[in-house]
Amino acid sequence: MTTAAYSPEQVLALPAMPSVKDAFAAMNIGPTNGYALIKDGQFPIEVIPFGRAFRVRRADLVAFLGLTERADAEVQSAPATENDGAPGVQPGAPSAEQSAPTSASK
């Protein structure tokens, strides 16, 4: 079984903790060589075991591949939101500290 090498865009789209198989594809190495490097303690980035599965940090993979500047550029070009990232909050809406006007009934 062969896996195609990942493009830089595919690497940047990986989850925060991709599998080592994703790392192998990003580094364009086969699973046999990749697992041998892990077993020998020679894999170039930290491998984190989760039970029988192995994961890596996307940030480590991006740095190893030299894609850090590209990732930083994508973050800077992302559109800014007006509500400070709070989902469902409209700009100018009263906060929890502000009490809504109530009518006193007798």
Side-chain angles (χ1 to χ4, degrees):
M1 176 177 156
T2 60
T3 56
Y6 285 0
S7 69
E9 291 78 20
Q10 289 172 308
V11 173
L12 295 173
L14 288 172
M17 297 289 289
S19 70
V20 291
K21 290 181 183 181
D22 286 328
F24 300 158
M27 299 164 93
N28 200 21
I29 61 174
T32 303
N33 288 335
Y35 284 115
L37 289 169
I38 291 169
K39 181 181 176 190
D40 295 340
Q42 299 298 312
F43 199 69
I45 57 178
E46 183 181 5
V47 175
I48 301 140
F50 284 109
R52 294 179 60 181
F54 295 104
R55 301 281 180 167
V56 296
R57 290 180 188 90
R58 181 186 59 219
D60 293 345
L61 182 60
V62 167
F64 176 78
L65 295 173
L67 299 174
T68 306
E69 289 180 14
R70 186 178 222 166
D72 291 343
E74 285 187 10
V75 169
Q76 290 175 354
S77 66
T81 60
E82 293 181 25
N83 62 7
D84 297 329
V89 176
Q90 297 296 322
S95 67
E97 291 89 29
Q98 297 173 343
S99 61
T102 58
S103 61
S105 61
K106 291 188 179 183

